[in-house]
């Protein structure tokens, strides 16, 4: 039986960003430098395939510093950590390497700077996400107020409405965040925001590429993990941009082929923590079932690179 024709629109940019690239390199280089085991606090990036691969090389993933021995190196994940974490590692005389993305660290510095200038901080982010915990943890407990939605803005209990500033998580929906910021500005006209947006270049570019593809495809697949904030935002952006079937898939085996019966076009992208190998796996799965034509839709070109910490370069 001949296969049905299908066009696959590949989003560009997609997949690994500079911060993820650097974080994975840090674990690999730490393993080379110190040998196994090297401990990693939290999934280095939110992708099981990446984590499993590093575990095979000798990385041990734990959730808390308490789960690490004093005498082995520990790496902090790309999402960032509260100030108390490196402080505790130092107290225990541990060797640690911070793989926090420099663009997350930039937000940490911003929060501290505003706070030192006497402004109370509001963070726009998702409760319980490691990046939100890490950023809020740059200041003493209770100092940073969390806002997740436009509704939250109406009730956020600030000390002095004339002396506040906000920071955001780096992986939020650009459009939803605009609405939240507009509400904050309406309630607190003097609120101070970041010089340059906290939502990072990679998040912004991946969402833009999805917007360019989603309206013209029958289905949009985002390669990524359920605990990956930026990947989940890409699914939402796809739906909002007019695609009736936008789904997150970890791997090709997660594709619901029944739901895709009769389709002629599919958009594919990948979250910042999803390896290109998994995108290729998905494309191959489509080739097995359809007569595939691949088209790349490029909405931005990226050339950002981050150096690994000096301790690993020597
Ligand atoms: C750090 C900051 O934050 P998210 O859940 O999207 O993390 P993920 O590991 O999926 O992506 C990489 C990353 C890490 C993004 N921003
Ligand atoms: Fe850094 Fe942005 Fe990548 Fe997050 S998504 S690791 S903030 S570059």
């Amino acid at each position: 039986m001949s296969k049905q024709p299908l066009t696959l629109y590949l989003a560009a940019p997609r997949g690994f960003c500079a911060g993820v690239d650097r974080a994975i390199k840090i674990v690999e280089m730490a393993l080379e430098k110190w040998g196994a085991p090297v401990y990693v606090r939290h999934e280095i990036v939110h992708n099981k395939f990446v984590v499993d691969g590093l575990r095979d090389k000798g990385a041990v993933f734990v959730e808390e510093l308490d789960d690490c021995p004093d005498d082995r190196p520990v790496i902090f994940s790309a999402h960032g950590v509260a100030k108390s974490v490196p402080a505790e590692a130092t107290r225990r005389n541990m060797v640690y390497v911070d793989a926090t993305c420099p663009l997350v660290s930039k937000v940490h510095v911003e929060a501290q700077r505003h706070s030192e200038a006497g402004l109370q901080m509001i963070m726009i982010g998702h409760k319980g996400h490691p990046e939100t915990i890490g950023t809020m943890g740059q200041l003493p407990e209770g100092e940073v107020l969390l806002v997740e939605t436009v509704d939250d803005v109406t009730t956020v209990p600030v000390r002095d409405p004339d002396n506040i500033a906000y920071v955001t998580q780096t992986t939020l929906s650009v459009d939803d965040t605009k609405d939240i910021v507009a509400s904050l500005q309406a309630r607190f006209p003097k609120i101070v925001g970041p010089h340059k947006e906290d939502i990072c270049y990679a998040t912004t570019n991946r969402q833009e590429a999805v917007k360019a593809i989603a309206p013209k495809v029958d289905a949009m697949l985002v390669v990524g993990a359920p605990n990956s904030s930026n990947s989940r935002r890409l699914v939402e952006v796809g739906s909002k941009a007019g695609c009736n079937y936008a789904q997150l898939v970890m791997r090709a085996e997660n594709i619901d082929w029944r739901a895709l019966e009769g389709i002629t076009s599919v958009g594919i992208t990948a979250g910042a923590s999803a390896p290109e190998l998994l995108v290729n796996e998905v494309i191959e799965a489509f080739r097995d079932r359809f007569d595939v034509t691949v088209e790349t839709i490029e909405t931005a070109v990226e050339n950002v690179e981050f150096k690994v910490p000096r301790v690993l370069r020597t």
Side-chain angles (χ1 to χ4, degrees), residues 15-21 23 45 78-79 99-105 131 169-171 198-203 206 230 272-273 304 306:
F16 279 11
C17 59
V20 165
D21 226 39
V45 298
H79 316 93
T100 304
C101 175
L103 299 181
V104 174
S105 301
E131 184 181 329
Q169 209 175 317
T170 57
T171 53
D198 291 335
I199 297 177
C200 79
Y201 80 94
T203 299
R206 279 153 193 66
N230 80 88
S273 46
V304 180
F306 296 129

Side-chain angles (χ1 to χ4, degrees), residues 27 31 36 48-61:
V27 180
L31 283 164
K48 184 177 181 320
F49 186 85
V50 170
V51 167
D52 287 348
L54 292 171
R55 193 181 286 118
D56 288 345
K57 293 182 184 171
V60 177
F61 289 87

Side-chain angles (χ1 to χ4, degrees), residues 4-8 283 286-294:
Q4 292 296 312
L6 176 88
T7 308
L8 286 184
I283 296 171
F286 274 98
R287 284 196 201 284
D288 289 344
R289 293 163 176 86
F290 296 88
D291 176 15
V292 168
T293 307
V294 175

